Amino acid sequence: MKKTGTYGSWDMAYWSRALLFAAFMALPLLLKAQEAPRVQSGVDTASIRIGEQIRWTVAVEVDTTAQVIFPEGQTFSPLETVEAFKTDTTRKMDRMLLQKTYALTQFDSGSYLLPTQRIEIDGRGFFTDSLLISVATVPVDTVNQKMYDIKPMMEVQAGIPGWLKWLLGILAVLLAAAGVAWYFLRKNRLSEQEAEALLPPFERAMRELKRLEQSRYLIQEEYKQYYTELTGIVRAYLEEEVHISALESTTAQLLEKLELLRDAGKLKLDEQTLVQFQKILETADLVKFARSRPELRAAEQDRLQVEQIVQKTREALPEPTEEELLQQEAYRKEWEARKKRKKIRIAAMAAGAVLLVALVASVAYFGVQNVKDSLFGTPSKSLLQGEWIASSYGYPPILLETPEVLVRREVPLPPEALEAISDLDAFAYDNPKAHLSISAISTTFNQADTPPDFEAAVDQALVGMERNGARNIITKQEEFTTVSGVKGVKVFGRGEFKQPGSGNYLKGKYTLLLFGGNGFLQQVFLSWEEGDSYAEEIVERILNTVEVKTVV
């Protein structure tokens, strides 16, 4: 049965071979080489001045078939690595001597501890000794060196006050929102021609006749254009209202259609109205095709008669059917729905502008990442802000305060481990979404006087991480003291951890705490994603609550 962990497959093999196998430090190594590797290290000087370099050399004597991996990168912190020289190899029979030299420096005065370095030989870690390096300041001759007066104060132009920047930012956002709202309103607003096209045929015809009355066609003696528009208005009205093809019909054809409708009882027009309409159409034909020039008064009178014809035609039409009334009602509802949608768009744009101002102000004050995390949340933030649980795990007990309770893990022990281990209690919590893992392990040995081997435990933990795909692991070590004063060892660092189900690697950090005494060992292991500030706070809070009982 497997359980997916933070950086790999947290199955039973992982727990037994990686972190939990660190509890087996009391077991003898069953497989030994014919001659164990030998590792020695040293520096050319333990005292330098600021900016000077020291040469740290490590010599490894191993079999010729052994694979040796030296430290890489900035693993000598607080000293800085200037250069790593090529490895010098000397062979003698079936053994070889490898020498690796590093140039290190420091730019601040003081005493610095050159940390132990891990040399990996055939997958097994060997650690060098730590050294104390003294960095002295460079002496300055303040007597003979020429001194200069302090430069006078310079006036600088005052910057924009913070409140003014906020005000200008909010005004800029409001102006932008107003511009967007104006653009959409103008875009969705109907033009005068579109609004007029939505009017009923009668109202549109009367409005066009009124516009024709105010035109300058008759003043400029443009009779052809005048009568063309006049007959076009009445023909378009008849085609829309009476539903006959009036625009493409000749004068005779149009009159014939009107008479047929009158005889059928569908259009109740009197004879005199038809005669007046016929005279107007014949006059328009003469003007358009025979270049006739009627009198000004007659032309104006023809327009007045056309208005009467339009009004009489409207009155002569039968009452609209139920279907037509339904169509008119549908048109009215569509018009009202369009106006309602327009109001909704305006309100939405106004609300969007307010939200945009609030978002910009929040980002300016709190920062992009905080606003993003507050809006969308993160798994690690939810854990940090949730209700934490304080509990003790294993025997001797390890007291922790964690976001979630740790669950017991059953770990089968190999036969050779049963000879040395009396009991092993393992508890863990994994959150793949937050890339966070927490484990607590308590181990007791059959021999009550067996001291804990911290170095072997660290070595086995690192080997287990590498077996699960971790690479470029950087290790640092320091003393750790709980709130109650119990001292232990803290091993921490970073590396690249393989994500489950893919070949991708995720940059992460880890911390391993080791406590113990004669007959027992206690371990706390934490791993999380590098750069996750909420995970950093979770780990810091857990470390501040760690307590152990050192009496079995």
Side-chain angles (χ1 to χ4, degrees):
M1 184 176 68
K2 297 184 178 181
K3 179 177 178 64
T4 301
T6 302
Y7 303 111
S9 178
W10 292 81
D11 53 12
M12 302 307 295
Y14 177 84
W15 286 99
S16 60
R17 296 177 185 176
L19 300 178
L20 301 183
F21 199 71
F24 306 156
M25 78 303 294
L27 297 179
L29 298 177
L30 300 179
L31 298 178
K32 294 186 179 180
Q34 293 180 352
E35 186 174 351
R38 289 184 289 181
V39 178
Q40 294 180 338
S41 63
V43 294
D44 58 348
T45 178
S47 178
I48 61 173
R49 289 182 294 183
I50 291 176
E52 291 183 343
Q53 297 179 8
I54 64 172
R55 299 294 180 95
W56 182 80
T57 303
V58 57
V60 179
E61 183 179 347
V62 292
D63 294 336
T64 55
T65 59
Q67 182 181 9
V68 181
I69 300 178
F70 291 98
E72 297 180 0
Q74 298 292 338
T75 64
F76 298 91
S77 178
L79 298 178
E80 298 183 17
T81 304
V82 178
E83 184 179 1
F85 298 96
K86 292 184 178 179
T87 305
D88 184 16
T89 305
T90 303
R91 296 180 180 270
K92 184 178 180 181
M93 301 295 290
D94 60 343
R95 303 283 287 179
M96 63 178 177
L97 178 63
L98 305 177
Q99 287 187 334
K100 183 79 170 180
T101 302
Y102 299 83
L104 310 175
T105 188
Q106 175 57 252
F107 295 98
D108 290 327
S109 61
S111 297
Y112 298 92
L113 182 66
L114 175 62
T116 58
Q117 300 296 311
R118 185 176 186 270
I119 312 299
E120 184 174 314
I121 303 175
D122 291 334
R124 184 182 175 190
F126 292 81
F127 293 88
T128 63
D129 295 331
S130 59
L131 297 171
L132 188 64
I133 306 298
S134 177
V135 182
T137 59
V138 178
V140 179
D141 187 355
T142 59
V143 177
N144 297 324
Q145 184 176 354
K146 186 178 180 180
M147 306 298 289
Y148 298 92
D149 293 334
I150 299 175
K151 293 183 178 181
M153 297 179 62
M154 298 178 61
E155 293 185 2
V156 296
Q157 186 176 1
I160 302 176
W163 66 268
L164 185 56
K165 291 181 179 179
W166 275 85
L167 180 60
L168 292 177
I170 293 175
L171 290 177
V173 173
L174 290 176
L175 287 175
V180 172
W182 176 82
Y183 170 78
F184 282 103
L185 287 176
R186 184 175 181 181
K187 182 179 179 181
N188 295 324
R189 186 174 58 188
L190 295 176
S191 63
E192 185 177 351
Q193 292 80 6
E194 292 174 336
E196 187 172 317
L198 295 175
L199 294 175
F202 175 77
E203 294 183 13
R204 187 166 63 252
M206 298 303 291
R207 179 175 295 188
E208 292 176 352
L209 288 172
K210 195 67 176 178
R211 189 183 301 115
L212 182 61
E213 179 185 4
Q214 298 172 355
S215 68
R216 301 179 61 85
Y217 290 144
L218 297 181
I219 298 175
Q220 298 175 355
E221 296 184 353
E222 296 176 354
Y223 293 101
K224 182 176 181 180
Q225 289 82 351
Y226 178 81
Y227 274 95
T228 299
E229 287 196 19
L230 180 62
T231 55
I233 293 171
V234 68
R235 284 173 179 268
Y237 170 73
L238 292 175
E239 185 156 325
E240 288 189 64
E241 197 75 284
V242 186
H243 305 294
I244 59 175
S245 56
L247 293 173
E248 299 178 356
S249 301
T250 62
T251 298
Q253 292 173 343
L254 179 56
L255 291 171
E256 183 179 356
K257 292 176 183 179
L258 292 175
E259 290 177 353
L260 290 175
L261 289 174
R262 184 193 62 181
D263 295 341
K266 296 182 179 180
L267 187 64
K268 300 178 182 179
L269 282 176
D270 54 67
E271 185 67 25
Q272 183 179 0
T273 301
L274 290 175
V275 171
Q276 288 177 351
F277 189 36
Q278 180 179 2
K279 289 181 180 180
I280 294 172
L281 293 176
E282 290 175 349
T283 301
D285 291 340
L286 291 175
V287 172
K288 289 188 291 183
F289 303 112
R291 297 184 179 180
S292 174
R293 296 175 63 86
E295 294 182 358
L296 178 61
R297 185 178 296 275
E300 292 178 348
Q301 189 65 30
D302 288 342
R303 184 190 57 78
L304 293 174
Q305 290 182 356
V306 166
E307 287 186 3
Q308 296 176 359
I309 292 172
V310 170
Q311 292 177 351
K312 290 182 179 181
T313 303
R314 183 191 183 191
E315 296 171 357
L317 290 172
E319 293 295 328
T321 63
E322 183 177 355
E323 182 179 357
E324 291 174 342
L325 291 174
L326 290 175
Q327 291 178 352
Q328 293 177 3
E329 181 66 17
Y331 171 81
R332 185 185 63 80
K333 290 182 178 179
E334 174 63 24
W335 177 254
E336 291 179 352
R338 181 179 297 184
K339 291 173 64 178
K340 186 177 181 180
R341 288 195 296 268
K342 183 178 180 181
K343 292 180 180 179
I344 293 175
R345 282 196 297 269
I346 295 174
M349 285 186 290
V354 173
L355 291 176
L356 184 59
V357 171
L359 180 61
V360 171
S362 300
V363 169
Y365 187 78
F366 297 104
V368 177
Q369 190 62 40
N370 288 331
V371 174
K372 179 181 177 182
D373 294 343
S374 298
L375 291 177
F376 304 103
T378 62
S380 55
K381 183 178 181 180
S382 299
L383 290 175
L384 178 63
Q385 297 179 347
E387 183 177 355
W388 283 46
I389 298 172
S391 183
S392 62
Y393 303 94
Y395 182 81
I398 301 174
L399 285 73
L400 290 175
E401 186 176 342
T402 56
E404 298 289 343
V405 66
L406 306 188
V407 180
R408 178 182 288 275
R409 299 291 174 84
E410 296 295 335
V411 181
L413 299 177
E416 61 270 18
L418 294 175
E419 298 177 2
I421 295 179
S422 171
D423 190 19
L424 188 149
D425 296 325
F427 301 83
Y429 167 74
D430 299 317
N431 191 319
K433 293 183 179 180
H435 302 295
L436 176 68
S437 289
I438 309 169
S439 63
I441 308 166
S442 288
T443 307
T444 55
F445 307 113
N446 291 323
Q447 299 295 330
D449 58 347
T450 302
D453 190 345
F454 290 163
E455 184 175 338
V458 173
D459 186 28
Q460 292 297 339
L462 295 176
V463 170
M465 293 168 64
E466 291 174 349
R467 286 177 179 174
N468 282 273
R471 66 185 186 185
N472 299 330
I473 299 176
I474 298 175
T475 300
K476 300 179 183 180
Q477 183 172 322
E478 63 183 23
E479 186 181 80
F480 182 85
T481 305
T482 66
V483 177
S484 62
V486 179
K487 296 185 180 297
V489 176
K490 177 182 178 182
V491 180
F492 60 100
R494 56 170 53 87
E496 296 179 3
F497 301 90
K498 191 173 183 180
Q499 293 182 279
S502 69
N504 299 327
Y505 282 82
L506 184 71
K507 291 184 178 180
K509 291 184 176 182
Y510 69 92
T511 293
L512 174 64
L513 301 182
L514 300 170
F515 305 94
N518 290 337
F520 69 94
L521 175 70
Q522 299 159 303
Q523 303 173 77
V524 176
F525 183 81
L526 307 168
S527 64
W528 66 97
E529 182 181 2
E530 184 176 1
D532 189 342
S533 59
Y534 301 108
E536 295 279 359
E537 292 186 43
I538 291 175
V539 171
E540 186 67 22
R541 182 173 173 181
I542 292 175
L543 295 179
N544 291 334
T545 62
V546 172
E547 286 292 347
V548 294
K549 298 296 184 180
T550 58
V551 178
V552 180

